[in-house]
Amino acid sequence: MRIGIVGGTGDIGEGMALRLSSTHEVIVGSREAEKAIASCTACEEMLSERGLECSLLGVGNQAAVDAADVVVLALPFKHVAGTLQSLCGFEDKIVITPVNPIERSTYFYYAPPPEGSAAMLVKKLLPESATVCAAFNNIAAKKWKILDEVLDYSVAVCCDDESAKRQVMDLVNGISELKAYDAGPLAAASMVESVTPLLLNVGRLNKLRDAGVRFV
Amino acid sequence: MRIGIVGGTGDIGEGMALRLSSTHEVIVGSREAEKAIASCTACEEMLSERGLECSLLGVGNQAAVDAADVVVLALPFKHVAGTLQSLCGFEDKIVITPVNPIERSTYFYYAPPPEGSAAMLVKKLLPESATVCAAFNNIAAKKWKILDEVLDYSVAVCCDDESAKRQVMDLVNGISELKAYDAGPLAAASMVESVTPLLLNVGRLNKLRDAGVRFV
């Protein structure tokens, strides 16, 4: 599977590149291709120190979309609309959104756009033949990058296409100890996204660093 | 602690009475006092079979409020407003809401009232000196009643008063293997309530019966 990561030099993007590139072809995209290339070099060094081979390519965001079967939008919510409007070529691709619209006052809270969730906004901004899938929403960014951290979490996956959902669930289940759960159609993603600000509050108030979630 | 359960003959109410009455005085309220009395008799039998002593009293909902220090609203969301409007005497009490506003189409979804959450609606309907606390929202009703089931879940607790929050967290931590987590002010309860329809979807779509949640 060729996985393109838009925003691939942020915490989550870099962590996903690290964890996916030994088993998949990963194309890391960035607004500046140089940053993506540097990030890939750093990833390759980290992986080769562990004796792991990997397939990594650093490019611009558009080239990452073009080369991929599956595109991951590893972007902060505030950059989603602008970035998607600057890109094209999503037709017939699976697009994964781990994006959570969160704001902060004295606590973190869920602040979805009028579409109901980041996932539904992404769907609105992409061509109809793209299949949007919400996944990886509730994993703390910092956990991704530390390869020694076992990711032993539940991952809720929302998508309107059963075949695409299954492919993404298989992708999830191949990473560390993650376990994918079907969480319904894309419209149900708001309930998945809103777990993240809850986890940020729980983490901060109970000294549970980078809290995650498990369904039991 | 004297705990009054409004709606104490439903699944959650009866289960909480079972699990709390060996360590606390529990006053089970119902619209019909006879139902509450019958429910208490059944609970007493179940507990005495296990050699457990308990303190249980079946009364009407108003008497349950009057006698309690802590009132639990074990009600379906659709009955919350009507029931609270028919009762009085909540002044200076701690009121726990495990209520989740949920609707169902092809999937379960979070359907909060205009106040933002069931918890904020409860707060609006009660006198200012009552301290509302959201807790126990994400535990499946059926799990409560089966005493052989270990309740090994995380319980997010939201409240604007730190002392009341601590009392409720202590109450939570005294039940089976439940573990209480401070999840912020009452306004943050929407993120806790919305975990429940997510769990209903995850449970139904992945054959995970009566799914619960753990923060890790």
Side-chain angles (χ1 to χ4, degrees):
Chain A
M1 200 183 264
R2 283 186 305 178
I3 301 166
I5 306 181
V6 171
T9 55
D11 275 350
I12 290 181
E14 210 164 272
M16 290 184 89
L18 269 172
R19 291 184 186 262
L20 287 168
S21 59
S22 340
T23 42
H24 299 273
E25 281 180 63
V26 174
I27 304 108
V28 173
S30 174
R31 272 181 300 174
E32 301 158 60
E34 295 73 31
K35 272 185 78 176
I37 293 164
S39 170
C40 286
T41 307
C43 283
E44 278 159 358
E45 280 172 16
M46 236 184 290
L47 291 166
S48 84
E49 273 171 26
R50 290 164 182 259
L52 294 168
E53 284 191 40
C54 64
S55 168
L56 272 165
L57 182 68
V59 294
N61 279 329
Q62 184 61 58
V65 174
D66 293 340
D69 311 305
V70 174
V71 180
V72 180
L73 302 177
L75 297 163
F77 177 70
K78 63 180 175 185
H79 292 149
V80 166
T83 304
L84 290 187
Q85 279 154 355
S86 75
L87 298 171
C88 61
F90 288 96
E91 284 78 8
D92 300 315
K93 297 188 193 272
I94 294 174
V95 179
I96 298 177
T97 158
V99 179
N100 303 303
I102 295 173
E103 290 185 12
R104 186 178 187 171
S105 56
T106 55
Y107 61 101
F108 296 95
Y109 60 96
Y110 185 51
E115 289 77 11
S117 63
M120 293 303 280
L121 173 66
V122 167
K123 183 182 163 74
K124 194 179 97 172
L125 293 171
L126 292 185
E128 215 166 304
S129 70
T131 305
V132 180
C133 197
F136 303 117
N137 297 75
N138 307 144
I139 302 170
K142 285 184 188 161
K143 294 276 185 181
W144 277 110
K145 282 185 68 169
I146 308 167
L147 276 176
D148 287 329
E149 288 273 0
V150 174
L151 300 180
D152 192 4
Y153 303 115
S154 298
V155 174
V157 179
C158 294
C159 185
D160 293 333
D161 180 278
E162 293 305 317
S163 155
K165 191 190 278 181
R166 178 45 54 193
Q167 287 180 64
V168 173
M169 288 176 71
D170 289 346
L171 182 69
V172 169
N173 287 327
I175 300 172
S176 192
E177 297 296 317
L178 295 183
K179 181 152 173 35
Y181 289 85
D182 183 348
L186 198 70
S190 58
M191 295 176 285
V192 179
E193 295 175 2
S194 82
V195 170
T196 302
L198 169 62
L199 289 172
L200 291 172
N201 293 326
V202 164
R204 192 175 64 87
L205 295 167
N206 304 270
K207 299 199 171 75
L208 186 64
R209 191 187 292 269
D210 301 319
V213 82
R214 240 178 257 158
F215 304 131
V216 287
Chain B
M1 201 183 263
R2 283 186 306 177
I3 301 167
I5 306 180
V6 170
T9 55
D11 274 351
I12 290 181
E14 212 164 271
M16 290 184 88
L18 269 172
R19 292 185 185 261
L20 288 168
S21 59
S22 338
T23 43
H24 300 274
E25 281 181 63
V26 174
I27 304 107
V28 174
S30 175
R31 273 183 299 175
E32 301 159 59
E34 294 74 29
K35 272 185 78 176
I37 293 165
S39 170
C40 285
T41 306
C43 283
E44 277 160 359
E45 281 172 13
M46 234 184 293
L47 291 166
S48 84
E49 272 170 25
R50 292 164 182 260
L52 293 169
E53 285 191 39
C54 64
S55 169
L56 273 164
L57 182 67
V59 295
N61 278 330
Q62 183 61 59
V65 174
D66 293 340
D69 311 306
V70 174
V71 180
V72 180
L73 302 177
L75 297 163
F77 177 69
K78 62 180 174 184
H79 292 150
V80 166
T83 303
L84 290 186
Q85 279 154 354
S86 75
L87 298 171
C88 63
F90 288 96
E91 283 78 7
D92 300 318
K93 298 189 193 273
I94 294 173
V95 179
I96 298 176
T97 159
V99 180
N100 303 303
I102 295 172
E103 289 184 16
R104 185 178 189 173
S105 55
T106 54
Y107 61 100
F108 296 95
Y109 60 94
Y110 185 52
E115 290 77 10
S117 62
M120 293 304 277
L121 172 66
V122 168
K123 183 182 164 75
K124 193 178 99 172
L125 293 171
L126 293 184
E128 214 165 307
S129 70
T131 306
V132 181
C133 196
F136 302 119
N137 297 74
N138 307 144
I139 303 171
K142 285 184 188 161
K143 294 277 187 182
W144 276 109
K145 282 185 70 171
I146 307 166
L147 276 175
D148 287 329
E149 289 272 2
V150 174
L151 300 180
D152 193 4
Y153 303 115
S154 298
V155 174
V157 179
C158 294
C159 185
D160 294 333
D161 181 278
E162 291 305 316
S163 155
K165 189 189 278 178
R166 179 44 55 194
Q167 287 179 65
V168 173
M169 289 177 71
D170 289 346
L171 182 69
V172 170
N173 288 327
I175 301 173
S176 192
E177 297 296 317
L178 295 183
K179 182 151 171 39
Y181 289 85
D182 184 347
L186 198 69
S190 57
M191 294 176 284
V192 180
E193 295 174 4
S194 81
V195 170
T196 303
L198 170 62
L199 289 174
L200 291 173
N201 292 327
V202 164
R204 191 173 67 84
L205 296 168
N206 305 272
K207 299 199 170 75
L208 187 65
R209 192 187 291 270
D210 300 320
V213 81
R214 238 178 258 158
F215 304 131
V216 287

